[in-house]
Amino acid sequence: MELPKFLLANNNNFPDDIFVVHTEFPRFIINLKDDELEFLEDVSKESEDDLSEEIAILIDEAGNFYDKEMEEFE
């Protein structure tokens, strides 16, 4: 199955949070409310440092994805 690069996620237990799931390496969930990032696979601190520029770009892309999705609802 082919997955989209980003998915929106929500949960009634966290009604004020906005989650975006990145489905490619490095897979992660970002809470756009506070930019908290949770990796879905083992990413060592060294790897995280090496990927920091790529991760920063992906975080921006996640925000842009969310904005575009919300425009569709308006």
Side-chain angles (χ1 to χ4, degrees), residues 8 14 30 41-42 44 48 55-56 60 65 70-71 73:
L8 287 178
F14 303 93
I30 183 170
E41 53 206 340
D42 188 22
S44 67
E48 189 175 339
I55 291 168
D60 286 340
F65 165 77
M70 290 302 100
E71 286 175 5
F73 287 110

Side-chain angles (χ1 to χ4, degrees), residues 37-62:
L37 197 67
E38 181 72 30
F39 288 99
L40 298 176
E41 53 206 340
D42 188 22
V43 177
S44 67
K45 183 64 178 161
E46 295 80 23
S47 295
E48 189 175 339
D49 291 342
D50 292 341
L51 294 170
S52 63
E53 187 174 319
E54 181 180 349
I55 291 168
I57 292 168
L58 290 170
I59 289 170
D60 286 340
E61 288 180 7

Side-chain angles (χ1 to χ4, degrees), residues 1-34:
M1 167 178 29
E2 186 175 341
L3 295 174
K5 185 173 183 175
F6 293 104
L7 299 168
L8 287 178
N10 70 347
N11 187 299
N12 289 333
N13 293 327
F14 303 93
D16 297 328
D17 295 348
I18 302 166
F19 299 103
V20 175
V21 181
H22 180 251
T23 63
E24 299 173 357
F25 183 82
R27 293 180 306 146
F28 61 81
I29 299 173
I30 183 170
N31 184 342
L32 294 179
K33 181 180 88 173
D34 57 12

